[in-house]
Amino acid sequence: MRRIRSKDTAPEIIVRRLVFAMGFRYRLHQRDLPGRPDIVLARHRKIVLVHGCFWHQHARKACPIARAPKSNQGYWRAKLAGNVARDESNARLLRAAGWKVLTVWECETRSPARLFARLTRFLGRHN
Ligand SMILES: [Zn+2]
């Protein structure tokens, strides 16, 4: 299955740099895991997914940047609903395999302090 979004998007790089600065090491886009998750901390059995708010349909109530497509709405609705279903199924498979999964949304990467707090809560302190 092809992914639509490109690798190495700006929000993903922001999260990667922060996780790295916190002292954690990880693998990227590990092929043998469902959905080729963005950031894999194998030793901690944790995964951080960085989701674009449009492509992965962040709940509009919670999100300052998610928007509805203006044209071709039928096409987009189906496409985006497919992304969301695939995200849910991948996360379920990962959790069933014993991984802890954190989803970070694009809009959250715009607030470094909050992002850091979320990552710290999920990953704990590295020592
Ligand atoms: Zn968002």
Side-chain angles (χ1 to χ4, degrees):
M1 221 175 310
R2 299 263 306 262
R3 309 212 53 181
I4 313 159
R5 66 155 186 77
S6 60
K7 266 196 266 178
D8 303 334
T9 57
E12 190 180 326
I13 288 169
I14 291 171
V15 175
R16 255 192 236 172
R17 289 207 179 125
L18 192 48
V19 171
F20 190 89
M22 289 165 71
F24 293 95
R25 299 298 173 258
Y26 44 77
R27 290 183 61 182
L28 300 174
H29 308 289
Q30 206 169 310
R31 285 166 191 283
D32 56 350
L33 291 172
R36 303 186 58 200
D38 301 315
I39 298 170
V40 179
L41 297 99
R43 200 151 58 88
H44 305 270
R45 204 116 184 116
K46 286 177 182 174
I47 283 171
V48 180
L49 304 173
V50 184
H51 281 182
C53 294
F54 176 73
W55 290 110
H56 298 268
Q57 292 289 280
H58 194 193
R60 230 164 287 154
K61 270 188 214 154
C63 182
I65 62 178
R67 62 201 153 73
K70 291 194 177 75
S71 57
N72 265 330
Q73 293 196 354
Y75 166 82
W76 281 112
R77 223 188 305 268
K79 184 140 201 133
L80 296 172
N83 289 352
V84 171
R86 193 157 55 244
D87 289 341
E88 283 169 2
S89 142
N90 287 335
R92 210 177 314 116
L93 291 168
L94 291 168
R95 291 192 171 103
W99 293 89
K100 292 205 167 76
V101 180
L102 175 73
T103 299
V104 172
W105 293 94
E106 174 186 0
C107 60
E108 295 175 310
T109 65
R110 298 177 174 194
S111 164
R114 278 187 51 207
L115 179 61
F116 179 74
R118 273 204 86 195
L119 287 168
T120 303
R121 227 175 304 140
F122 180 66
L123 297 173
R125 300 237 170 236
H126 190 270
N127 39 40

